[in-house]
Structure formats: C-alpha cells, structure tokens
Amino acid sequence: MVVTGMGAVTPIGNTVDEFWKNAVAGVSGAAPITLFDPEGHSVRFACEVKGFDPSELGDRKEVRKMDRFTQLGLKAALQAVSDSGLEIQGTFAERVGVVIGSGIGGIQTLEDQKTILLEKGPGRVSPFFVPMMIVNMATGMVSMRTGAKGPSNATVTACASGANAIGDAFRIIQYGDADVMIAGGAEAPVAPIAVAGFGNMKALSTRNENPAGASRPFDAERDGFVIGEGAGVVVLEELEHARKRGARIYCEMAGYGYTADAHHMTAPAPDGEGGARSMKAAMADAGVAPSEVQYVNAHGTSTPLNDKYETCAIKSAFGDAAKSVAISSTKSMTGHLLGAAGGVEFILMALAHVHGKIPPTTNHENPDPECDLDYVPNQARELPVHAALSNSLGFGGHNVTLATRSHEQ
C-alpha cells in the first residue's frame, strides 16, 4: 500500500511544501493567542494556524455551518485529493473511503452555543449546533465534497486519533473493502475552555514570555506542551491501483500497531510499556527489524512523563538499536495538535523518505539524563530513510505506531 497524496494545514504552513520547508528550518508556530482574548488565563499562547481563509472552501453560508476543525480537515483533504490526481466519480467513488479523526471535535462551537443558551435562552441555540460539534462531521464533509462513497468512519482516541485514522484506513484497504482511503486528523482546540482545562491540569507550558521556546521535547527544562490546531490528511492507495494510473508515490504504508496501557486516564504506563508494544507490533506488521529503522517521529509532547517514558519505550522496542536510530519531535515546532498530530507527523515522516532529511527537535538545549537517545537536536539532518515509525499516544492509554518504507519505483 502506498501514499499518493498529502494535504496539510498547520501552525507552520498551510500547504505541504510550506510545512516541510519550515519544519526542516526549525521554525516555531507558537505565538500569543489571537483566536480569543486570553486575559485571565494562566497560558496565553498557542500554535495557531495563520492566514487560513475558510471562504476558500466555497459558499459562505455552507462554510459557516462547519466548526473550525471541520474547515481545517476539509482544506487538508482537498489538498491531498488534488495532490493525488484522483478523479472520484462513477462507480469508482464506491471504492474510495474516508476516515478523519479528532480528539475533541467542535469544542469552540460547544462553548459558543452554551454561552448563547445561558444568555439568550434555548430558542436561540443554533439548529446546526449538533452537526457542527460532532467529531464525525469532518469525515462527513470530506465525503460529501470529494464524492467518496466507500467506507466512512471517524476515530476518537484523544491524541492518537489521527494516527488511528490512518492505521484503520490501511486495514480497510488490506481487507479489500476499498482501493483508496482519504485519512488523517483535524483539530481546533484553541478555545477558552480547552486552554483553561489543559492549563488547570498542568499539562501546558507556562512560558508566556517565550512562546517560541516553550515546546522543548526531551529537554531537561520542559514544562508542558503547547496546544495547537491544524489538520493533516493523506491518500492511501492499493499499490497496483496506483501503478495502473501512473500515480506519484511518496512512500509505502507498511505497518500498524496499536495497544492500550490499561493504566491511567492521562499518565502513560510506567516505562512506556504500552508504547513499546505498539512499536513492536508495527515493526512486526511491516516486516522490518529495529536495526532497519532509520527514523522515529516521536510523540514527544514536552511533558515530563511522556518524554521520559517514550524514551524508555523506544529502548525496550529497539534494544541495542535504540542508540543508533534518529528520533525527533516535530511538536517542538508545531505544538501539540491533539487529534491532528498523527496526521501531520505522518506527512513529515513520508517526506523524510522523499528528501532524505530528518526534521529537528528544536529547543533541545539542556540534555535530560533520563532522555539519552539521539533526538536530532536543533538542526535538520541529512539521512537516507528506508524505514520509519511515527508514534501517537493519547489520554486513556491509547498507543499507536505507524510504519513506513521507501518505495522502489
């Protein structure tokens, strides 16, 4: 199975090319919040998408019926389909499916409509409130706009949602239920209630005076993640189908591992044992040994426990090869896009195959003795990538690993 199209709307670029260019350059997407007035919040910065114009998606009235997470997901999906060169029409449309994940869906819509309910009464709540808010609407709108009539689903596994969507799409094609899947994640959580909630649980960095330096995965002075928004969507295609139409191929989608910690609502399992099993399962599914993997795009949230235990997980999964694999957390630049993280990070992993270059972990200035692997600090690295993994770990103990291989034309 292969990747034939990609679309990205992120805090460091609203196209795949711009996203890649800024990622390898180490550009930060963190800045003071503009989507709402953060006065009174303990955290007043985030990684917002810049310059996004929803009117580009079509009729203004229709676009206004979509929450921002759906708008971002639709934009990324349309980019991916255009990039793939697919024409989804006729009976072929029944062989094209959609799976777009999101951790919390239309949370800004929920907040807005609850305010209207309290201030103006139930008669003023929008009749579009429910379809705007529900997580599956990104999938629904992508299906409607592209004409895809095949398997349709939405994954909700917190910060693993986008990765689960891509993995589930991979399985759907393997099962023979579709030839092509449009898959990824979308999230728009930079809303007052979400920022307050994550802030009050002490999950967010509080470096209000230095947003660009706040996300510092695997660094000894990390103090929490930077909340972000965006979408990353890819087109997965059965290999022979792609070859027959002469599609450009970025890389092979090779393996999928997913496990549960069965441990805690928010904290990872001790020593990252669930994440280790996820990586082992993905490598086994892909038929690659740890020594054959050149790159791991880490979950790397910049929180004390995640980075420590993900390091433990990589050591457990890779054994002696852990010291030689290149690892980076691109959340150091994008922030944490929650349910969209797996989608945008999968795109960077795919492009690492194409360009033979590893994006860096920025803000890595003070090595943590408990995080002692090769995190590609601060500068991108030229490195041929033949096999790679991307980790996504979510509240509730969800662990997902996606494996890719280079495609020999």
Side-chain angles (χ1 to χ4, degrees), residues 61 64-66 109 113 125-133:
K61 289 184 179 180
R64 287 179 62 188
K65 296 174 185 175
M66 304 179 205
T109 294
Q113 295 302 313
V125 171
S126 172
F128 297 105
F129 161 55
V130 172
M132 288 176 69
M133 180 197 70

Side-chain angles (χ1 to χ4, degrees), residues 327-347:
I327 304 160
S328 70
S329 172
T330 48
K331 289 182 179 70
S332 58
M333 297 167 283
T334 66
H336 192 352
L337 277 56
L338 309 185
V344 299
E345 290 160 12
F346 183 87
I347 288 170

